Amino acid sequence: MKIRTTIAAGIAVATALALTACTGGPSSPAASGSDGKISGNISFQTWSLKNDKFTPYFESVVKAFEKEHPGVTVKWIDQPADGYEDKILQQAGSGELPDVVNLPPEYAYSLASAGQLVDLKKESKILGDYVDGGVGAYKYDGIDGSFGFPWYLGTELNYWNKDLLAKGGVTAPPKTHAATLDAAAKLAAAGVQTISDVPGPKSLQIMVSDRGGNLDVYKDGKFVFNTPEAAAIIQRYAELYTAGAITPEALQNAGTANANVNNFNKGTVAWTTSGPNYIDKDVSVNAPSILPSVEASNGFGSPPLFVQGISVSAKSKNSATALAFAEFLTNTKNQIAFVKLAPGFFPGTRAANEDPAAFTETAKNKMQGVATDLAASQMNKARMVGAPKFTEAMETYAKQQIALAVKGEISAQAALDKAVEYAKQNVAS
Amino acid sequence: MRLQRWYTPYLLVLPGVIWMVVFALWPFLNTIALAFTDARPLRPAEFVGFANFDKMLEDDRFGYALTTSLIYVVVCVPLLTFLPLLLALLVHNKVPAIGFFRTTFYFPVIASAVVVAIVWEFLFSGSGTINSALNFFGLIDRPVEFLSDRWLLIGCAIGLTVWKGLGYYMVVYLAALGNVGRELHEAAAMDGADRWRRFWSVTVPGVRGPMMLVSVLVCVGASRVFTELYVLSNGSGGPGGRAMSMVMLIQSMGKGLNGQVGYASAISLVLFLLTLVPLLIVGIANNGDTIREALASRRAVKAAKIKREATVQEVQR
């Protein structure tokens, strides 16, 4: 009887210990095993870049680094496009974050606030070689330091279906967002739909800037995107929905990525926004039938700046090697070689951007060349949208509320107020 | 004969116990523990008492998700309990090529829920087959909002769940119908019972056990619906997220680097408790006779005891 009681007690204690070990607490930062020498094995992770185009590039970069530093081995891992955030979370949670990792600024913010990334401002001597906008994307209010080397940068352009515009009597793509909404009303009267997305706070920032104003998502410790200017734009969307200028899919997909691009590819709407490589990467592959009708134009207002960066894990056992590889991968020579493979994107170092001719490759389609030139012309005024504390879940919630306002079930101001309240209640302390 | 050691039975059950503790009991207990914390990924968790449950009461998305899941249960349970039975009765008859029809009705079960939902999305989207057909025949000026109106979206998802589940439960009933004696039907017919009467008085009681099993399975499945609503709304839950189910809400709250794991766990706990309620009702309905018998026997014992005491008192007097 005593033995049974002991066994039962043992199981209970083990269960209790296991439970306490899994309540979300971060593991303490590992003591760095690095002795400052560039040696040993490191892992390097990219995001959906293992394919015929990029694989030879990464293999050659890894080989060159290993040749430069005999005895060093770099293990390259690539993760699929879907579920990257969950993969990063799983790796960070289990203390297995790769030594060198490709992270967008919002993911890097979460990891930096949990002490999982190396402060490059402190550890790297060459951070000044990178473009300010890119470095700034990896600096966060409330956290001292900089947590990513800018790797490649992009922006967003407008794409138009000229045939659909012509059907509604619109002869040239509108130059401003306000003109686009007027054109949408005109096209709706001719039975042509223009819009298949509802604006979120991030796109409202662009729309407000196009009207000469300024919309902050987060300022002085508060979420402040519920302004009358933003509400007026949503109200206009509601009117356009009633007029038939906006597809039902815009409401169905509120808060999901790429819904407007998918509808544009189907040829059901006249306007979408997308990255600079949309023509060669997407339209020519997934919707070749509409390719002759597609025309690109500059993004509205202050267009968004998209940054991809390379960060170094704070738990790396060979942090000196990891840092050296991150610097090597993002040096001017390697960045130019990389963006040559990705038309429409721009390198993250100052030196590489001094001579755009060095990385501009001939595009497969004529309109891709136009899009690349347009992207280059607007990079100077592109800026980061959103805010590190404004999470994807908050953007999704805001879009869901805005969809209700567009449908006419709540007012535009109420939608924004609810979204601000939700953000306020759900922000991580 | 050599006696086994005292720990042999424990060793035999140990693999099963470990499996259950690691993959069932521990995650369940951990979810309960997390429900009372403000856990977020990569951050230390703190005990917050019932704060997550208080938050739930103020969260309109929780209200919508609860309503969606309850509607799903209320509509799906009767539909998926009786329609497969009718279908099974139809294909139970021995007519030529009946195997073909049985296989055809079972096809949706084999297909992946995600694939089927994508096909339904093609059918019901703004530029989908149904809207195009209605437009072609001049019945509508603008697309019907099948997938962007809360109730139509839930209706489409329920239609998909029912269509996909019919074949599976039909097979369960087919197996049960084989046990309903032909002589019972013949006897009922001789007593003047028509087909409808025979269905209610012979067939339904004959498949009562499987019917209860089906209703329990449908009930649990419907309260945990995710795929249909997720795919049909492209993960958004429709305008305002008002067509989200409980599981969709748990997924959206708990996912990602900023996921609110504590709050998502609290919703999971509520979902678990809510799932127990219909199970309890079905359990009571299923064991009604047993419960009645037990109560009657208890009453009889009590009455006998009172009677015995009265007799003893009378004898003493």
Side-chain angles (χ1 to χ4, degrees):
Chain A
M1 192 64 177
K2 196 179 173 185
I3 292 168
R4 284 182 193 176
T5 313
T6 311
I7 291 171
I11 290 172
V13 169
T15 309
L17 285 173
L19 280 170
T20 52
C22 192
T23 43
S27 47
S28 58
S32 175
S34 176
D35 52 6
K37 282 183 188 167
I38 298 173
S39 60
N41 304 331
I42 57 163
S43 54
F44 157 53
Q45 180 169 285
T46 52
W47 184 7
S48 188
L49 287 171
K50 198 166 209 167
N51 50 43
D52 293 346
K53 200 176 191 182
F54 292 107
T55 299
Y57 166 78
F58 286 112
E59 285 173 350
S60 71
V61 169
V62 166
K63 209 172 166 185
F65 185 75
E66 288 175 346
K67 196 177 170 189
E68 206 172 279
H69 303 282
V72 169
T73 309
V74 179
K75 186 186 173 195
W76 173 42
I77 315 155
D78 186 71
Q79 299 294 347
D82 290 338
Y84 191 58
E85 188 181 3
D86 292 329
K87 187 71 195 174
I88 293 289
L89 172 60
Q90 180 200 333
Q91 289 172 326
S94 58
E96 289 174 358
L97 194 67
D99 302 288
V100 180
V101 58
N102 171 197
L103 293 172
E106 58 271 26
Y107 296 0
Y109 169 67
S110 299
L111 295 178
S113 43
Q116 298 252 357
L117 298 180
V118 165
D119 175 9
L120 302 174
K121 195 173 139 193
K122 208 159 78 180
E123 302 294 332
S124 173
K125 292 187 180 84
I126 60 161
L127 202 60
D129 295 352
Y130 296 84
V131 292
D132 291 339
V135 175
Y138 289 88
K139 286 180 177 172
Y140 310 108
D141 287 342
I143 311 172
D144 190 31
S146 188
F147 299 92
F149 290 118
W151 191 21
Y152 60 96
L153 291 76
T155 183
E156 192 174 74
L157 299 173
N158 289 314
Y159 294 91
W160 310 90
N161 186 320
K162 284 186 294 181
D163 289 350
L164 290 180
L165 290 179
K167 226 174 169 182
V170 178
T171 49
K175 300 271 185 223
T176 64
H177 185 254
T180 302
L181 300 188
D182 292 341
K186 199 174 169 188
L187 290 167
V192 176
Q193 294 176 316
T194 306
I195 301 163
S196 62
D197 198 9
V198 293
K202 289 180 186 174
S203 43
L204 282 168
Q205 282 186 290
I206 299 163
M207 292 167 190
V208 171
S209 73
D210 193 49
R211 287 163 173 78
N214 179 53
L215 179 70
D216 286 311
V217 166
Y218 186 78
K219 197 179 178 187
D220 301 331
K222 283 180 186 168
F223 292 96
V224 290
F225 55 84
N226 53 341
T227 64
E229 292 80 17
I233 294 171
I234 296 168
Q235 186 52 43
R236 183 85 172 99
Y237 267 74
E239 289 160 15
L240 288 171
Y241 183 72
T242 311
I246 301 174
T247 63
E249 281 82 5
L251 307 185
Q252 179 201 352
N253 299 324
T256 57
N258 296 328
N260 56 342
V261 172
N262 293 338
N263 282 296
F264 187 82
N265 285 354
K266 285 182 199 165
T268 55
V269 289
W271 170 53
T272 190
T273 55
S274 191
N277 62 344
Y278 173 57
I279 301 284
D280 271 3
K281 195 185 173 189
D282 197 342
V283 179
S284 65
V285 178
N286 298 319
S289 61
I290 65 160
L291 183 59
S293 319
V294 178
E295 186 171 326
S297 70
N298 276 124
F300 295 131
S302 300
L305 174 69
F306 301 127
V307 184
Q308 283 291 334
I310 294 292
S311 300
V312 178
S313 168
K315 296 183 181 179
S316 172
K317 285 178 183 156
N318 293 309
S319 57
T321 314
L323 184 64
F325 181 72
E327 289 176 346
F328 180 79
L329 176 73
T330 57
N331 69 24
T332 298
K333 185 186 154 205
N334 283 326
Q335 291 226 30
I336 287 175
F338 180 77
V339 292
K340 268 185 176 179
L341 300 171
F345 287 97
F346 301 88
T349 65
R350 289 169 189 272
N353 280 288
E354 277 171 10
D355 181 18
F359 57 83
T360 309
E361 283 285 286
T362 312
K364 273 192 238 163
N365 295 284
K366 194 182 162 197
M367 190 48 69
Q368 179 60 64
V370 174
T372 305
D373 291 345
L374 289 169
S377 72
Q378 71 178 44
M379 279 307 283
N380 285 340
K381 61 174 183 173
R383 64 168 193 169
M384 293 288 293
V385 289
K389 281 193 184 290
F390 187 68
T391 63
E392 208 51 48
M394 293 172 191
E395 170 84 358
T396 302
Y397 183 85
K399 277 194 163 190
Q400 287 174 342
Q401 296 309 313
I402 290 166
L404 280 180
V406 171
K407 207 164 182 279
E409 293 189 17
I410 57 174
S411 74
Q413 192 60 52
L416 288 173
D417 290 346
K418 281 184 87 173
V420 163
E421 187 58 30
Y422 176 84
K424 197 174 126 189
Q425 285 179 359
N426 291 280
V427 67
S429 54
Chain B
M1 198 177 103
R2 192 176 165 182
L3 283 172
Q4 64 179 23
R5 296 191 185 278
W6 67 267
Y7 51 78
T8 307
Y10 295 102
L11 283 179
L12 291 172
V13 298
L14 192 62
V17 170
I18 291 173
W19 181 271
M20 199 200 68
V21 168
V22 172
F23 293 106
L25 191 61
W26 176 65
F28 175 70
L29 294 175
N30 194 37
T31 303
I32 295 175
L34 287 172
F36 296 94
T37 69
D38 63 352
R40 285 182 186 241
L42 311 174
R43 294 177 180 87
E46 277 179 29
F47 179 74
V48 292
F50 287 91
N52 286 327
F53 298 92
D54 289 343
K55 185 177 170 183
M56 234 180 270
L57 297 175
E58 292 163 10
D59 187 352
D60 53 1
R61 292 209 300 179
F62 175 75
Y64 291 128
L66 186 62
T67 310
T68 304
S69 292
L70 287 178
I71 287 171
Y72 229 89
V73 171
V74 168
V75 177
C76 282
V77 169
L79 284 179
L80 275 174
T81 304
F82 286 101
L83 285 181
L85 177 60
L86 297 177
L87 201 63
L89 285 170
L90 205 66
V91 298
H92 186 56
N93 297 321
K94 288 192 173 66
V95 291
I98 197 66
F100 169 77
F101 290 104
R102 284 181 186 172
T103 313
T104 308
F105 288 134
Y106 195 73
F107 263 149
V109 181
I110 305 164
S112 150
V114 175
V115 173
V116 171
I118 289 171
V119 172
W120 275 57
E121 202 204 339
F122 283 139
L123 284 176
F124 288 103
S125 71
S127 53
T129 314
I130 291 176
N131 269 315
S132 301
L134 292 172
N135 191 34
F136 179 78
F137 290 112
L139 296 171
I140 52 169
D141 294 330
R142 54 182 299 171
V144 180
E145 299 172 342
F146 287 114
L147 304 179
S148 51
D149 176 86
R150 182 189 182 193
W151 300 114
L152 287 177
L153 175 57
I154 294 173
C156 285
I158 288 175
L160 173 56
T161 303
V162 170
W163 177 73
K164 195 172 169 4
L166 275 179
Y168 180 78
Y169 299 116
M170 176 195 80
V171 171
V172 175
Y173 282 126
L174 268 178
L177 283 173
N179 296 328
V180 180
R182 195 182 171 84
E183 64 281 0
L184 287 174
H185 277 280
E186 285 169 357
M190 284 177 72
D191 287 344
D194 58 9
R195 285 175 75 92
W196 183 245
R197 179 76 183 162
R198 291 207 303 276
F199 171 73
W200 278 111
S201 303
V202 179
T203 309
V204 170
V207 295
R208 194 178 155 192
M211 195 177 260
M212 286 298 167
L213 171 74
V214 166
S215 57
V216 167
L217 291 176
V218 173
C219 191
V220 174
S223 59
R224 290 164 49 198
V225 64
F226 175 77
T227 311
E228 292 89 334
L229 283 165
Y230 188 86
V231 178
L232 287 179
S233 70
N234 277 343
S236 72
R242 290 180 174 179
M244 269 192 181
S245 67
M246 294 277 277
V247 180
M248 267 180 87
L249 183 63
I250 292 166
Q251 189 260 359
S252 75
M253 294 310 297
K255 73 173 181 181
L257 287 158
N258 288 293
Q260 298 180 46
V261 181
Y263 185 49
S265 299
I267 303 173
S268 305
L269 192 58
V270 170
L271 175 61
F272 169 73
L273 295 173
L274 287 175
T275 313
L276 288 183
V277 174
L279 285 180
L280 209 65
I281 294 168
V282 171
I284 291 170
N286 197 19
N287 298 299
D289 292 344
T290 320
I291 294 168
R292 268 194 297 275
E293 275 171 28
L295 288 173
S297 135
R298 203 174 152 192
R299 271 196 298 272
V301 170
K302 212 172 173 183
K305 198 179 167 189
I306 292 167
K307 199 177 170 187
R308 201 165 50 241
E309 282 170 2
T311 314
V312 171
Q313 280 171 3
E314 205 169 298
V315 170
Q316 282 172 348
R317 251 188 269 133

